[in-house]
Amino acid sequence: MATDFCRLDEAVARHVRPGDAIHVMMGHSRWSALVREIARQHWGRPSAFTLIMASLSSLGAVLFRAGCLERVVTVYSGDSFPVFTPNPVFQQAYGSGAVQVENWSFLSFIQRLRAAATGVPAVVTGSVRGSSMAANDAYDEVDTRFGRVGLVAPLAPDIAVVHAAVADRQGNLAIAPPMFEGSIGAFAARRGVLATVEKVVDDLRAWSPLVRIPAHRVLAVVEAPFGAHPGGVFAGPAGAALPVRGYAEDVPFWIDVRTATRSERFDDWIREWILEPADHESYLAKLGGDRLAELVRAAGGPSLVPRGDGHGGPPTPAERAAVWLADLLGERIAATGADAVLAGAGLANLAAWVGVARAKAAGHEVALAAELGLWDYSPTPGDPFIFSFANFPTASMLLDTEQVLGTLVNGPRTRSIACVGAAEIDRHGNINTTKIAGGPHLVGSGGANDVVTNADETLVVGTLSPRRFIEQCDYVTSPGARVRAVVTDAGTLTMRDGDLVLTHVAPGPEPLAERIAAVRARCGWDLKVAEDVRELRPVTAEDVAELRDYDREGLFLGRDRKGST
């Protein structure tokens, strides 16, 4: 069947049906004008959709508010800008049972799509085992003559929705890396793909290495410039770019929708930006030409967020923890000869940036990796966002999540260190970032389960409190078997014989015994103290300046420069 070249409203009306499982595909573009149109056409309708989307982010809340969802299969239910946080719309829907949620890790989510795309009854996964996600119906472990293996069942959407950079007249779709989940969803979808593109060209053969989805899989193509907004489009590195203009993510827009989801004005925001614009052209007109032109100019530069000077004030608790994590990471890189460091977003990521930069300056060949598909990249000063488009051209390889997490970082031929945060962590190093027993949903795994389960060792960072450091996690997002140490603002806990033990304490004027007692009082279990407990070094102004050079607004390091977070 020939690809349907049509308008947004026509594509949705012709190809989206009540009861569909809709997969919103995610490369480096995290949104689509088609998703906005689905919300418009199915607003207030009991369409009973299943939303299959790796990272919901703030705009995913629009589909929740529309009342058209019955179920969600996801990896991350939270906000991404300006910081990574739970979202109250998702929390309320999951808590009330209005929307059912099925949580996975990034790799296992992609592997389920791969099972559907390749027509096999299951795909082997090295993730999920030892976590609470192992209770999902689509996961099993079996004994084989090759050993015990984890298996995930196929995840087959009815349709997939994507924003690609370019299409040709046949309907072939080109997308520049990094690719995040890749194009596997296009081959997993039962009926095919709906696509928006920046531009339709006559022939894509000059860019054939970047053609990811063949025309026979594409149901409809809509030419919609800026169709990824408020996400962005990376056209490719200089010298190998697709024939379109790239543009940066509209971070202020992301922040605005996040703020709206937390207020009574969310319905007004939806009316203004989702329901009232009659078509995509009206939406772009509302954004304004100047704003769109600035996004084009900003492509490849730091994210468009307000800037502070990054200096002044004593270290915050988060900054102290980050400095000591950077120290420990440098020590572990030197001791292990690590090839790669992959850090979770936020505080762990900033500490990893500093630690890896120091290690490289000392002559160690270690690569920074990011689960979006970046390998050996250089972070951008003044931009604390791990997936900033400004980091893309600095990478030695632009890949996808399956290649970075599944082959490189987690592969047996790579010596790797993971740096992550935790909403909760217990005495055995088990980490929870998914949901609190009897309480709210948090965010989910992201790539944490994949890397914590499979990296050679894991370093965890967080400020110490009895609410975060608990006796036992009721929900285990990432098992603690490979956690080596947990670095806090008050000291470092090191894994010894399966139990986290206090091995280092923060410096201070109080006697050592008093500082040890203070750490134990802030821990939610009867924390053991090593016989050889040592004192961490003082945090200097230079240490703090290194961190603040990346996060000048204190988004992840703590907004209050006087020391509270």
Side-chain angles (χ1 to χ4, degrees), residues 74-78 86 91 94 101-105 131-133 136 422-424 431-437 439-446 448-449 473-478:
T74 188
V75 176
Y76 179 82
S77 296
Q91 290 180 319
Y94 297 158
V101 61
E102 185 177 301
N103 292 291
W104 294 93
S105 68
S131 76
S132 296
M133 288 177 285
N136 289 348
E424 290 183 330
I431 296 169
N432 175 26
T433 57
T434 304
K435 58 184 179 182
I436 303 296
H441 192 280
L442 298 173
V443 292
S445 167
N449 173 274
C473 288
D474 289 296
Y475 190 101
V476 176
T477 307
S478 305

Side-chain angles (χ1 to χ4, degrees), residues 159-216:
I159 59 166
V161 176
V162 68
H163 183 81
V166 193
D168 65 17
R169 302 293 174 187
Q170 288 70 48
N172 299 299
L173 302 177
I175 308 170
M179 286 289 291
F180 194 20
E181 68 184 55
S183 58
I184 196 65
F187 302 93
R190 295 184 178 94
R191 298 202 301 273
V193 177
L194 306 183
T196 47
V197 296
E198 297 296 315
K199 184 179 181 181
V200 177
V201 300
D202 291 330
D203 193 346
L204 274 173
R205 280 174 289 190
W207 299 276
S208 59
L210 300 182
V211 175
R212 308 296 185 183
I213 302 172
H216 78 277

